[in-house]
Amino acid sequence: MIRTLTCMPVLFLAILSSTALMACSTDDETEQSNATPSAESNKPLTATSSQPETQLHTVRTAAETARDQYRHPAETLMFFEIEPEHTVVEIWPGKGWYTAVLAPYLRQHGQLIAAHFAQESPVKFFRNARQEFEQRFLNKPDLFGNLQITELAPPERIQIAPAGMADRVLTFRNVHNWMRNNQEQNVFDAAYRALKPGGILGVVEHRAPADFSREQMVESGYVSVAYVTQLAINSGFEPAGQSEVNANPKDTRDHTNGVWSLPPSLRGGDIQKDTYLAIGESDRMTLKFVKP
């Protein structure tokens, strides 16, 4: 039985911020068409009545908080049932949009593991994103805790964490990237191995129409719910719920440059820019799977 958002004993209440706490890149992560991941005040992330004294501060830029209206981080992480003592693996975090939310939350009692790009990747974007990520998040335990980094570069490097160690494995807008190199099943298998029995895989991904072919998914960046669900089932997961928290009915999903036509990428430049800004970010599935 899936618990609803209103009755879940999870500590997320809100992530509402308007001013940056630190000077860092104001560019949101940029999704690239060539196997690039999508994967980017001071009002605290406050606790529920289970820990009313806890104040969990998030350190984010103004550009990052501007994306909250599309990404709904508090509601999304509540749906994935993240607890502050969990060991969480975030797959391909890019420059760290979600890391800046997760790391402070897990800092005191939990553990965040970033399964990042290979440090010596032949893809320049990957190398640069990894470097920016390390500069921002490593060696700052007072802000981000003891964040650890592993490497995911399938098919060669697919151990994202020691087997059976993680309570949660999360990935945000990345499945289409793995599909470009036919590695999506390998990644789902890696997530299954990393999780404890009873652990949860949380997936947020651009949502394709049900009739999209695999080729259309790769070209557009939109993936069908059925395709993602089948990947999870193939790995041994059981479907455990779907949320519409990241749905966007204004997204027609038929754009000239696929999902990258929309913000934050706006790949078409000024062509129909106002139209795409009015749509906002993509329509997204938010799926939860459990390891038996």
Side-chain angles (χ1 to χ4, degrees), residues 154-208:
E156 294 84 8
R157 301 180 187 179
I158 55 174
Q159 184 173 347
I160 60 176
M165 179 181 184
D167 297 287
R168 302 289 184 268
V169 174
L170 308 178
T171 186
F172 302 96
R173 308 176 316 282
N174 278 313
V175 179
H176 61 283
N177 295 311
W178 304 321
M179 291 174 68
R180 292 187 174 278
N181 294 321
N182 297 300
Q183 294 302 316
E184 64 270 30
Q185 193 64 66
N186 273 338
V187 178
F188 275 69
D189 291 348
Y192 188 88
R193 288 191 296 270
L195 281 165
K196 302 173 181 178
I200 288 174
L201 168 65
V203 180
V204 176
E205 177 59 298
H206 313 294
R207 177 163 47 190

Side-chain angles (χ1 to χ4, degrees), residues 263-279:
S265 296
L266 293 171
R267 182 164 295 172
D270 290 333
I271 299 174
Q272 292 187 287
K273 182 177 179 179
D274 290 343
T275 297
Y276 293 134
L277 288 173
I279 292 172

Side-chain angles (χ1 to χ4, degrees), residues 30-281:
T30 301
E31 295 191 73
Q32 303 286 320
S33 61
N34 195 12
T36 301
S38 54
E40 269 204 110
S41 174
N42 308 337
K43 192 168 182 178
L45 176 68
T46 47
T48 63
S49 57
S50 60
Q51 285 191 350
E53 76 285 0
T54 304
Q55 295 264 301
L56 301 166
H57 291 271
T58 178
V59 182
R60 304 193 297 156
T61 69
E64 287 172 330
T65 61
R67 309 249 68 85
D68 288 356
Q69 62 180 311
Y70 305 117
R71 300 181 179 185
H72 311 97
E75 296 89 343
T76 298
L77 296 175
M78 286 176 67
F79 179 69
F80 294 148
E81 303 177 48
I82 309 296
E83 300 283 356
E85 70 276 8
H86 278 163
T87 295
V88 177
V89 179
E90 183 186 1
I91 303 179
W92 275 17
K95 296 178 183 179
W97 194 92
Y98 253 104
T99 307
V101 178
L102 286 164
Y105 184 70
L106 299 169
R107 176 177 60 85
Q108 289 186 318
H109 305 294
Q111 176 67 62
L112 180 60
I113 300 172
H116 218 299
F117 312 132
Q119 198 167 35
E120 303 301 324
S121 171
V123 180
K124 183 179 180 181
F125 179 90
F126 286 10
R127 296 195 306 272
N128 290 345
R130 168 75 180 264
Q131 184 178 29
E132 287 187 37
F133 183 90
E134 290 184 357
Q135 289 174 347
R136 180 177 183 183
F137 293 105
L138 295 188
N139 304 315
K140 296 174 184 173
D142 56 325
L143 297 177
F144 303 117
N146 182 29
L147 189 149
Q148 298 180 12
I149 296 182
T150 59
E151 293 188 345
L152 174 67
E156 294 84 8
R157 301 180 187 179
I158 55 174
Q159 184 173 347
I160 60 176
M165 179 181 184
D167 297 287
R168 302 289 184 268
V169 174
L170 308 178
T171 186
F172 302 96
R173 308 176 316 282
N174 278 313
V175 179
H176 61 283
N177 295 311
W178 304 321
M179 291 174 68
R180 292 187 174 278
N181 294 321
N182 297 300
Q183 294 302 316
E184 64 270 30
Q185 193 64 66
N186 273 338
V187 178
F188 275 69
D189 291 348
Y192 188 88
R193 288 191 296 270
L195 281 165
K196 302 173 181 178
I200 288 174
L201 168 65
V203 180
V204 176
E205 177 59 298
H206 313 294
R207 177 163 47 190
D211 60 352
F212 262 32
S213 67
R214 190 181 187 282
E215 181 181 2
Q216 287 175 297
M217 295 182 206
V218 171
E219 290 179 353
S220 69
Y222 291 94
V223 185
S224 71
V225 171
Y227 192 84
V228 173
T229 300
Q230 192 59 56
L231 290 172
I233 291 172
N234 292 347
S235 295
F237 288 104
E238 296 177 354
Q242 176 173 344
S243 171
E244 290 298 297
V245 66
N246 294 306
N248 181 0
K250 293 189 287 186
D251 181 9
T252 58
R253 299 171 290 186
D254 59 355
H255 317 300
T256 302
N257 293 296
V259 72
W260 303 281
S261 295
L262 298 175
S265 296
L266 293 171
R267 182 164 295 172
D270 290 333
I271 299 174
Q272 292 187 287
K273 182 177 179 179
D274 290 343
T275 297
Y276 293 134
L277 288 173
I279 292 172
E281 295 194 15

